[in-house]
Amino acid sequence: MIEKITVSGVGCCLVDRLYNHLNFNSDVFASFLTRTKGDGGLTPGQLVLKEEFDRFAKVDFLKTLPKLTAGRAAETINIGGPCIVALIHAAQISDKDVIFRFYGCHGDDDDGQFLLSALAETPVDLSRYRLERDAVTASTIVLSDPEYDNGNGERAFINTIGASWNYCPDELDDDFFNSDVVVFGGTALTPQIHDNLTELLIKAKERKCITIVNTVFDFHSEKAHPERRWMLGNSDDSYRNIDLLITDHEEALRLSGTNHTDDAIAFFKSQGVGAAVITNGARDISVYSSGCVFEPLECSMPVSEAVRIELRKGRKGDTTGCGDNFAGGMIASVVKQLKTGNTPLNLSEACRWGIISGGFTCFYLGGTYFEKQRGEKLALLQDYYVQYLKQTGDE
């Protein structure tokens, strides 16, 4: 049992500008679709860097955006990023005495001021979130089509890395590596952290941290070597120092260099990953644990039927942040189990909280939910948790 728990995360934090109710099957969208891997075109479910899209389209993306959106303004501007959104959600549904600390940077521009103001409304410790002068704050344009994939919804992302280019491993102090849990979230959009991920994971394990990695589409690797599998850090030694890897279907296939989820799980297993969870939109998730930090397990788990029913009835926001909140739900469960002394940890239980957390995100716009009072989001999730237990026969 650990009475006082600290979770420290480093990686992607940015401004999301969401344009909803677009049509990915339209002629306009089709004219900007990718033709070959890494060419800079748009692909539903994937991310492209703005400068690469500019080269692909032969025009600045900001001039193309009005064509894709029919000139509409963004429907919402929100906190985005696989690391910070996961930490915010985990903090919102965890006990007040758990510290969630974010390491990252922002520029000295309007977007940076927006993030500072918005993040101040969340339970995350921002004392290590620093200013990068004369830099542009990272941002992403999110194009969303809620009707894509038979009504399950999908998004396309155009990212500006900005200040995050300059964020380096030296920013991670002793407090980071003295945390109980460390999270590396979406580091492909924090390039210097990503390139040094192997050494950072090794150091974290030497300090007895539980290590969690949740991924994002790695456009750099996709462009540089579309024929090769993506790297996490500079060697495959990263994998044996990961206690929990959370990735989506496309990212899992590209990391493993395989064509099927089962083969991706086999790859992660062979590389010594402690546990791996692969999400796949509205489809079952795939789960594996070697039996180290988490109990041994290899199975699939369904998404929430209660969420699916509400979506069919028309209760929709969009799918932005589903994966990030899924990771946050798992992190919160890990923390809760550590506090109660439940070791080895129950991976199925962590996945349950991931599944309902990711599903609930479909009901509002953007990845970050702003609570009016502490405990509000946890209360909203409780009924979905109970219904999920009934659905799977685990009540």
Side-chain angles (χ1 to χ4, degrees), residues 126-146:
L126 302 175
S127 59
R128 271 74 166 186
Y129 182 53
R130 69 166 181 79
L131 169 66
E132 179 74 19
R133 295 196 178 279
D134 301 319
V136 174
T137 301
S139 63
T140 297
I141 299 294
V142 184
L143 308 176
S144 179
D145 180 353

Side-chain angles (χ1 to χ4, degrees), residues 114-369:
F114 166 79
L115 283 178
L116 284 174
S117 176
L119 286 167
E121 298 180 37
T122 74
V124 175
D125 179 346
L126 302 175
S127 59
R128 271 74 166 186
Y129 182 53
R130 69 166 181 79
L131 169 66
E132 179 74 19
R133 295 196 178 279
D134 301 319
V136 174
T137 301
S139 63
T140 297
I141 299 294
V142 184
L143 308 176
S144 179
D145 180 353
E147 302 308 318
Y148 191 80
D149 187 21
N150 298 313
N152 291 314
E154 191 50 275
R155 298 129 306 142
F157 307 89
I158 302 89
N159 176 263
T160 299
I161 291 180
S164 296
W165 281 112
N166 302 321
Y167 197 81
C168 66
D170 291 344
E171 305 287 352
L172 303 181
D173 56 18
D174 282 342
D175 286 343
F176 182 89
F177 293 101
N178 289 331
S179 304
D180 301 290
V181 179
V182 293
V183 178
F184 297 91
T187 55
L189 297 179
T190 314
Q192 293 193 61
I193 298 297
H194 193 72
D195 292 345
N196 291 278
L197 194 56
T198 305
E199 292 76 14
L200 295 172
L201 284 163
I202 290 171
K203 184 174 180 179
K205 288 311 299 175
E206 287 174 346
R207 298 285 189 91
K208 310 299 182 185
C209 305
I210 290 177
T211 56
I212 299 176
V213 173
N214 61 303
T215 63
V216 70
F217 192 86
D218 185 356
F219 185 83
H220 286 289
S221 294
E222 189 75 355
K223 179 177 175 59
H225 302 290
E227 76 287 356
R228 301 183 196 172
R229 61 182 177 87
W230 298 347
M231 296 296 292
L232 276 179
N234 55 32
S235 85
D236 286 340
D237 286 344
S238 295
Y239 288 108
R240 61 184 175 84
N241 290 284
I242 298 174
D243 293 315
L244 175 59
L245 174 65
I246 308 170
T247 184
D248 78 7
H249 179 256
E250 177 69 21
E251 293 154 14
L253 299 187
R254 298 299 293 117
L255 287 166
S256 62
T258 64
N259 296 311
H260 193 276
T261 302
D262 291 344
D263 296 328
I265 289 288
F267 171 82
F268 297 140
K269 188 189 305 185
S270 71
Q271 294 297 326
V273 170
V277 177
I278 302 175
T279 64
N280 193 9
R283 299 160 187 85
D284 290 359
I285 69 168
S286 299
V287 184
Y288 161 75
S289 170
S290 65
C292 295
V293 172
F294 296 89
E295 294 174 351
L297 183 66
E298 188 161 358
C299 68
S300 63
M301 296 176 66
V303 298
S304 167
E305 187 60 28
V307 169
R308 192 195 301 272
I309 289 170
E310 291 195 38
L311 290 174
R312 286 173 178 166
K313 290 179 178 178
R315 183 186 177 188
K316 288 187 180 181
D318 82 306
T319 55
T320 302
C322 287
D324 307 339
N325 280 274
F326 179 99
M330 292 200 72
I331 293 166
S333 179
V334 166
V335 168
K336 183 177 181 179
Q337 292 184 56
L338 287 174
K339 288 193 72 174
T340 58
N342 180 20
T343 56
L345 304 179
N346 185 327
L347 187 57
S348 294
E349 175 67 3
C351 287
R352 291 181 193 113
W353 280 99
I355 287 165
I356 63 167
S357 297
F360 184 79
T361 311
C362 296
F363 298 147
Y364 57 93
L365 290 177
T368 300
Y369 181 94

Side-chain angles (χ1 to χ4, degrees), residues 39-40 49-59 223:
D39 65 4
L49 299 182
K50 178 185 176 298
E51 57 265 33
E52 298 298 336
F53 179 87
D54 292 349
R55 293 189 185 98
F56 172 86
K58 298 181 175 59
V59 64
K223 179 177 175 59

